[in-house]
Amino acid sequence: MLLRFTKMHGLGNDFVVIDRLSQHVRLTKGLVKRLADRRFGIGFDQLLVVDHPHDPDVDFRYSIYNSDGSEVAQCGNGARCFARYVTDKRLTGRNPIRVETNAGLLELQIRKDQQVRVNMGVPELEPQRVPFLAPQRALTYTLEAGGRQFELSAVSLGNPHAVIVVDDCANTPVIELGQHIGAHADFPQGVNVGFMQVLNRDNFELRVFERGAGETLACGSGACAAMVAGNTRGLLANKANAHMKGGLLQLEWRGEGEPVFMTGPATTVYEGHIRI
């Protein structure tokens, strides 16, 4: 069959979006990996799937697959592309748009300047709900990996994040350290590893090693996790900008028990079809 798709990106974090409202396809792990191959397939960091919701009061269901075929619950850059896709394809006239994910409900709003604002939900800081194996909640935790010790914050936004403050983001060996920390036994479901350099209370640089995808040019949920980690440690204000290789995200968080809001662009690259 010919599978229709749209290639998109959010700050260089690239996606393929498949509309499963109008075409039927069974996504196996092998098929996702084949589509993700940048030489023999289409190529992407994550695959986004538009489905009918289970809840009739919600507009869509949103599924996310990493390039290695694993399914994940949350992707902030993908959420912005999802909002842009269903709006541009006239699948909805609503704004904001309510979307089901495996992490819960998302609310997506396209602003007049075409930036997309996403309510990413309330971050989870209790270690057992990240999940992270720690005897009790703490501001930071010490983890030994790859023969080194790291001080990190553990945060979940529907997917687990470890956030480490570094002095020089550009020269941090993100891939090497990300592989060691991401596979650590204290994170039983694996973890996305963020390396944050605080520039001032309103700005930080960030690189993220994503489980199942490796280092990406930008990570929306990783930026939100870094915002939460930086704010709880007194390093960041309630509004801050995340500077990543792919560009800038604006973040807002009022404190514990409140949702994190993320605002940034979403871009369509091209439409296509592939025989599967």
Side-chain angles (χ1 to χ4, degrees), residues 229-250:
N231 182 269
T232 56
R233 294 172 67 171
L235 302 174
L236 295 174
N238 295 113
K239 293 183 179 181
N241 299 314
H243 301 262
M244 294 171 284
K245 286 184 176 180
L248 181 144
L249 288 176
Q250 298 171 315

PDB file of all heavy atoms in Angstrom, residues 229-250:
ATOM      1  N   ALA A 229      13.689  21.852  36.798  1.00  0.00           N
ATOM      2  CA  ALA A 229      14.875  21.574  37.602  1.00  0.00           C
ATOM      3  C   ALA A 229      15.597  22.862  37.977  1.00  0.00           C
ATOM      4  O   ALA A 229      16.001  23.058  39.131  1.00  0.00           O
ATOM      5  CB  ALA A 229      15.810  20.650  36.827  1.00  0.00           C
ATOM      6  N   GLY A 230      15.753  23.768  37.012  1.00  0.00           N
ATOM      7  CA  GLY A 230      16.447  25.020  37.279  1.00  0.00           C
ATOM      8  C   GLY A 230      15.694  25.912  38.242  1.00  0.00           C
ATOM      9  O   GLY A 230      16.290  26.553  39.120  1.00  0.00           O
ATOM     10  N   ASN A 231      14.370  25.944  38.105  1.00  0.00           N
ATOM     11  CA  ASN A 231      13.557  26.787  38.984  1.00  0.00           C
ATOM     12  C   ASN A 231      13.541  26.255  40.410  1.00  0.00           C
ATOM     13  O   ASN A 231      13.681  27.032  41.373  1.00  0.00           O
ATOM     14  CB  ASN A 231      12.134  26.887  38.433  1.00  0.00           C
ATOM     15  CG  ASN A 231      11.252  27.796  39.264  1.00  0.00           C
ATOM     16  OD1 ASN A 231      10.587  27.357  40.179  1.00  0.00           O
ATOM     17  ND2 ASN A 231      11.262  29.094  38.939  1.00  0.00           N
ATOM     18  N   THR A 232      13.386  24.949  40.588  1.00  0.00           N
ATOM     19  CA  THR A 232      13.352  24.393  41.940  1.00  0.00           C
ATOM     20  C   THR A 232      14.690  24.565  42.650  1.00  0.00           C
ATOM     21  O   THR A 232      14.743  24.658  43.877  1.00  0.00           O
ATOM     22  CB  THR A 232      12.977  22.893  41.920  1.00  0.00           C
ATOM     23  OG1 THR A 232      13.895  22.184  41.084  1.00  0.00           O
ATOM     24  CG2 THR A 232      11.570  22.679  41.417  1.00  0.00           C
ATOM     25  N   ARG A 233      15.766  24.648  41.885  1.00  0.00           N
ATOM     26  CA  ARG A 233      17.096  24.833  42.476  1.00  0.00           C
ATOM     27  C   ARG A 233      17.460  26.303  42.622  1.00  0.00           C
ATOM     28  O   ARG A 233      18.569  26.640  43.039  1.00  0.00           O
ATOM     29  CB  ARG A 233      18.145  24.100  41.627  1.00  0.00           C
ATOM     30  CG  ARG A 233      17.964  22.601  41.651  1.00  0.00           C
ATOM     31  CD  ARG A 233      18.869  21.869  40.671  1.00  0.00           C
ATOM     32  NE  ARG A 233      20.270  21.966  41.032  1.00  0.00           N
ATOM     33  CZ  ARG A 233      21.253  21.287  40.441  1.00  0.00           C
ATOM     34  NH1 ARG A 233      20.950  20.463  39.446  1.00  0.00           N
ATOM     35  NH2 ARG A 233      22.505  21.434  40.821  1.00  0.00           N
ATOM     36  N   GLY A 234      16.533  27.198  42.279  1.00  0.00           N
ATOM     37  CA  GLY A 234      16.764  28.628  42.439  1.00  0.00           C
ATOM     38  C   GLY A 234      17.648  29.235  41.373  1.00  0.00           C
ATOM     39  O   GLY A 234      18.129  30.366  41.532  1.00  0.00           O
ATOM     40  N   LEU A 235      17.832  28.541  40.268  1.00  0.00           N
ATOM     41  CA  LEU A 235      18.714  29.010  39.212  1.00  0.00           C
ATOM     42  C   LEU A 235      17.977  29.776  38.118  1.00  0.00           C
ATOM     43  O   LEU A 235      18.584  30.563  37.398  1.00  0.00           O
ATOM     44  CB  LEU A 235      19.447  27.818  38.573  1.00  0.00           C
ATOM     45  CG  LEU A 235      20.279  26.953  39.524  1.00  0.00           C
ATOM     46  CD1 LEU A 235      20.824  25.738  38.784  1.00  0.00           C
ATOM     47  CD2 LEU A 235      21.410  27.773  40.137  1.00  0.00           C
ATOM     48  N   LEU A 236      16.665  29.519  37.971  1.00  0.00           N
ATOM     49  CA  LEU A 236      15.873  30.127  36.908  1.00  0.00           C
ATOM     50  C   LEU A 236      14.635  30.802  37.477  1.00  0.00           C
ATOM     51  O   LEU A 236      14.089  30.364  38.499  1.00  0.00           O
ATOM     52  CB  LEU A 236      15.437  29.066  35.888  1.00  0.00           C
ATOM     53  CG  LEU A 236      16.532  28.369  35.074  1.00  0.00           C
ATOM     54  CD1 LEU A 236      15.929  27.253  34.234  1.00  0.00           C
ATOM     55  CD2 LEU A 236      17.295  29.358  34.198  1.00  0.00           C
ATOM     56  N   ALA A 237      14.181  31.848  36.796  1.00  0.00           N
ATOM     57  CA  ALA A 237      12.933  32.534  37.159  1.00  0.00           C
ATOM     58  C   ALA A 237      11.739  31.702  36.679  1.00  0.00           C
ATOM     59  O   ALA A 237      11.894  30.594  36.150  1.00  0.00           O
ATOM     60  CB  ALA A 237      12.918  33.923  36.526  1.00  0.00           C
ATOM     61  N   ASN A 238      10.520  32.249  36.845  1.00  0.00           N
ATOM     62  CA  ASN A 238       9.314  31.523  36.446  1.00  0.00           C
ATOM     63  C   ASN A 238       9.088  31.540  34.933  1.00  0.00           C
ATOM     64  O   ASN A 238       8.266  30.779  34.414  1.00  0.00           O
ATOM     65  CB  ASN A 238       8.081  32.088  37.154  1.00  0.00           C
ATOM     66  CG  ASN A 238       8.137  31.885  38.646  1.00  0.00           C
ATOM     67  OD1 ASN A 238       8.249  32.844  39.401  1.00  0.00           O
ATOM     68  ND2 ASN A 238       8.090  30.645  39.087  1.00  0.00           N
ATOM     69  N   LYS A 239       9.799  32.401  34.232  1.00  0.00           N
ATOM     70  CA  LYS A 239       9.792  32.416  32.775  1.00  0.00           C
ATOM     71  C   LYS A 239      11.236  32.395  32.311  1.00  0.00           C
ATOM     72  O   LYS A 239      12.076  33.136  32.830  1.00  0.00           O
ATOM     73  CB  LYS A 239       9.092  33.664  32.224  1.00  0.00           C
ATOM     74  CG  LYS A 239       7.602  33.721  32.504  1.00  0.00           C
ATOM     75  CD  LYS A 239       6.976  34.954  31.850  1.00  0.00           C
ATOM     76  CE  LYS A 239       5.487  35.014  32.111  1.00  0.00           C
ATOM     77  NZ  LYS A 239       4.857  36.197  31.449  1.00  0.00           N
ATOM     78  N   ALA A 240      11.525  31.539  31.331  1.00  0.00           N
ATOM     79  CA  ALA A 240      12.901  31.431  30.848  1.00  0.00           C
ATOM     80  C   ALA A 240      12.897  30.921  29.410  1.00  0.00           C
ATOM     81  O   ALA A 240      11.934  30.312  28.950  1.00  0.00           O
ATOM     82  CB  ALA A 240      13.727  30.499  31.738  1.00  0.00           C
ATOM     83  N   ASN A 241      13.996  31.179  28.718  1.00  0.00           N
ATOM     84  CA  ASN A 241      14.180  30.738  27.345  1.00  0.00           C
ATOM     85  C   ASN A 241      15.197  29.605  27.295  1.00  0.00           C
ATOM     86  O   ASN A 241      16.289  29.720  27.858  1.00  0.00           O
ATOM     87  CB  ASN A 241      14.691  31.893  26.473  1.00  0.00           C
ATOM     88  CG  ASN A 241      13.726  33.057  26.432  1.00  0.00           C
ATOM     89  OD1 ASN A 241      12.531  32.884  26.259  1.00  0.00           O
ATOM     90  ND2 ASN A 241      14.263  34.258  26.614  1.00  0.00           N
ATOM     91  N   ALA A 242      14.819  28.532  26.600  1.00  0.00           N
ATOM     92  CA  ALA A 242      15.722  27.410  26.384  1.00  0.00           C
ATOM     93  C   ALA A 242      16.374  27.573  25.022  1.00  0.00           C
ATOM     94  O   ALA A 242      15.688  27.617  23.995  1.00  0.00           O
ATOM     95  CB  ALA A 242      14.968  26.092  26.461  1.00  0.00           C
ATOM     96  N   HIS A 243      17.710  27.679  24.995  1.00  0.00           N
ATOM     97  CA  HIS A 243      18.460  27.827  23.754  1.00  0.00           C
ATOM     98  C   HIS A 243      19.048  26.463  23.397  1.00  0.00           C
ATOM     99  O   HIS A 243      19.904  25.942  24.117  1.00  0.00           O
ATOM    100  CB  HIS A 243      19.579  28.857  23.928  1.00  0.00           C
ATOM    101  CG  HIS A 243      19.086  30.220  24.320  1.00  0.00           C
ATOM    102  ND1 HIS A 243      18.911  31.238  23.405  1.00  0.00           N
ATOM    103  CD2 HIS A 243      18.722  30.724  25.530  1.00  0.00           C
ATOM    104  CE1 HIS A 243      18.473  32.323  24.029  1.00  0.00           C
ATOM    105  NE2 HIS A 243      18.351  32.034  25.328  1.00  0.00           N
ATOM    106  N   MET A 244      18.580  25.880  22.290  1.00  0.00           N
ATOM    107  CA  MET A 244      19.054  24.578  21.845  1.00  0.00           C
ATOM    108  C   MET A 244      19.657  24.696  20.453  1.00  0.00           C
ATOM    109  O   MET A 244      19.549  25.744  19.811  1.00  0.00           O
ATOM    110  CB  MET A 244      17.896  23.577  21.877  1.00  0.00           C
ATOM    111  CG  MET A 244      17.413  23.300  23.302  1.00  0.00           C
ATOM    112  SD  MET A 244      15.890  22.324  23.387  1.00  0.00           S
ATOM    113  CE  MET A 244      14.699  23.596  22.940  1.00  0.00           C
ATOM    114  N   LYS A 245      20.287  23.653  19.983  1.00  0.00           N
ATOM    115  CA  LYS A 245      20.927  23.702  18.672  1.00  0.00           C
ATOM    116  C   LYS A 245      19.938  24.100  17.583  1.00  0.00           C
ATOM    117  O   LYS A 245      20.281  24.786  16.625  1.00  0.00           O
ATOM    118  CB  LYS A 245      21.554  22.352  18.339  1.00  0.00           C
ATOM    119  CG  LYS A 245      22.822  22.044  19.115  1.00  0.00           C
ATOM    120  CD  LYS A 245      23.423  20.727  18.659  1.00  0.00           C
ATOM    121  CE  LYS A 245      24.748  20.446  19.351  1.00  0.00           C
ATOM    122  NZ  LYS A 245      25.335  19.161  18.896  1.00  0.00           N
ATOM    123  N   GLY A 246      18.687  23.654  17.709  1.00  0.00           N
ATOM    124  CA  GLY A 246      17.677  23.932  16.692  1.00  0.00           C
ATOM    125  C   GLY A 246      16.981  25.269  16.843  1.00  0.00           C
ATOM    126  O   GLY A 246      16.271  25.696  15.930  1.00  0.00           O
ATOM    127  N   GLY A 247      17.151  25.948  17.971  1.00  0.00           N
ATOM    128  CA  GLY A 247      16.492  27.231  18.172  1.00  0.00           C
ATOM    129  C   GLY A 247      16.030  27.422  19.605  1.00  0.00           C
ATOM    130  O   GLY A 247      16.543  26.784  20.533  1.00  0.00           O
ATOM    131  N   LEU A 248      15.032  28.284  19.781  1.00  0.00           N
ATOM    132  CA  LEU A 248      14.636  28.760  21.108  1.00  0.00           C
ATOM    133  C   LEU A 248      13.195  28.378  21.439  1.00  0.00           C
ATOM    134  O   LEU A 248      12.306  28.471  20.589  1.00  0.00           O
ATOM    135  CB  LEU A 248      14.802  30.275  21.167  1.00  0.00           C
ATOM    136  CG  LEU A 248      14.468  30.992  22.465  1.00  0.00           C
ATOM    137  CD1 LEU A 248      15.442  32.155  22.679  1.00  0.00           C
ATOM    138  CD2 LEU A 248      13.036  31.555  22.433  1.00  0.00           C
ATOM    139  N   LEU A 249      12.976  27.976  22.699  1.00  0.00           N
ATOM    140  CA  LEU A 249      11.639  27.751  23.241  1.00  0.00           C
ATOM    141  C   LEU A 249      11.430  28.680  24.434  1.00  0.00           C
ATOM    142  O   LEU A 249      12.349  28.907  25.225  1.00  0.00           O
ATOM    143  CB  LEU A 249      11.458  26.304  23.705  1.00  0.00           C
ATOM    144  CG  LEU A 249      11.353  25.227  22.637  1.00  0.00           C
ATOM    145  CD1 LEU A 249      11.289  23.846  23.281  1.00  0.00           C
ATOM    146  CD2 LEU A 249      10.128  25.458  21.752  1.00  0.00           C
ATOM    147  N   GLN A 250      10.188  29.191  24.547  1.00  0.00           N
ATOM    148  CA  GLN A 250       9.807  30.014  25.698  1.00  0.00           C
ATOM    149  C   GLN A 250       9.055  29.129  26.686  1.00  0.00           C
ATOM    150  O   GLN A 250       8.117  28.404  26.309  1.00  0.00           O
ATOM    151  CB  GLN A 250       8.912  31.164  25.239  1.00  0.00           C
ATOM    152  CG  GLN A 250       9.592  32.106  24.262  1.00  0.00           C
ATOM    153  CD  GLN A 250       8.617  33.095  23.650  1.00  0.00           C
ATOM    154  OE1 GLN A 250       7.526  32.733  23.238  1.00  0.00           O
ATOM    155  NE2 GLN A 250       9.017  34.349  23.597  1.00  0.00           N
TER     156      GLN A 250
END
